[in-house]
Amino acid sequence: MPERVVVVGRETFETFAVALAAADVVVVDVDEVLVDAADEFADSYCLPALLANAAEASGSALADPLVAKHVVATAREHGATTVAHSGGERLGTCLHALAPDLRVIVLDHAPAASRTVWSGSAVPHGDDPQELVVTFDRGVPVALDGETVTAGQALREVNLRTGGHGAATLITAHRELEEITLERDLVRFKRRVERRWGELVHDGLWYSPLKDALDTFIEHTQGDVSGEIRLVLHGGRATTEGIRAAV
């Protein structure tokens, strides 16, 4: 019975043909699987990064665990025993954490460049300063200028208003709200936790027990992080003009 292989990448399958042949994989038939995970990415990967104030986290560091999750699900659904990818060591670490039984072939091909709602893109923005009011409820951005939004909508809209700096802007607002709503020692300790959280994500350890424990701690700290932050946006930067904590 032919071996089933899941090949990960935005490139065409033919791009990987030589590498697969070198790994003794003979291609007989190809089925393409496309997954729309934009909302899942925003809610389950970008939002935890926002709560952790992970300004240094790259879009790919947050996307790799999501890609790994869907790759493993696809492999299970189609009875595949092998995964081939060119996503680098971090993606491989995520795959191994979720499915250590799968054979993994690393393809020698640079992955296609991509932008995510977290990393933003170089979109035009006006020269005039703009005011933005972000409302948070338990650490989650729930409204922009009084209009209800999801986490993904907040990131996309602030990206547009800041020329691609949506994540950094929301993190700035979130951190400053924490400074006035959380007890000082808790803030100080959370900043240490945030640094370790970022290191784990950078290293592909999204699915590690320590990362899960840090997520639980971070989520527990957010109960009182509610209120409004008034920002002035100019030149891709955000300046805080006022903070009002929820009563």
Side-chain angles (χ1 to χ4, degrees), residues 23-82:
D24 296 325
V25 176
V26 178
V27 179
V28 177
D29 195 10
V30 177
D31 289 324
E32 186 175 33
V33 178
L34 299 177
V35 178
D36 182 358
D39 290 339
E40 182 183 5
F41 179 61
D43 294 338
S44 300
Y45 297 84
C46 294
L47 183 55
L50 172 61
L51 299 183
N53 295 316
E56 301 302 319
S58 66
S60 60
L62 299 179
D64 281 345
L66 173 62
V67 171
K69 173 187 172 183
H70 284 282
V71 167
V72 170
T74 301
R76 301 305 191 209
E77 179 183 353
H78 293 274
T81 57
T82 300

Side-chain angles (χ1 to χ4, degrees), residues 198-213:
E199 292 168 355
L200 293 172
V201 173
H202 178 271
D203 292 340
L205 299 174
W206 183 275
Y207 296 109
S208 68
L210 178 55
K211 159 72 167 45
D212 288 344

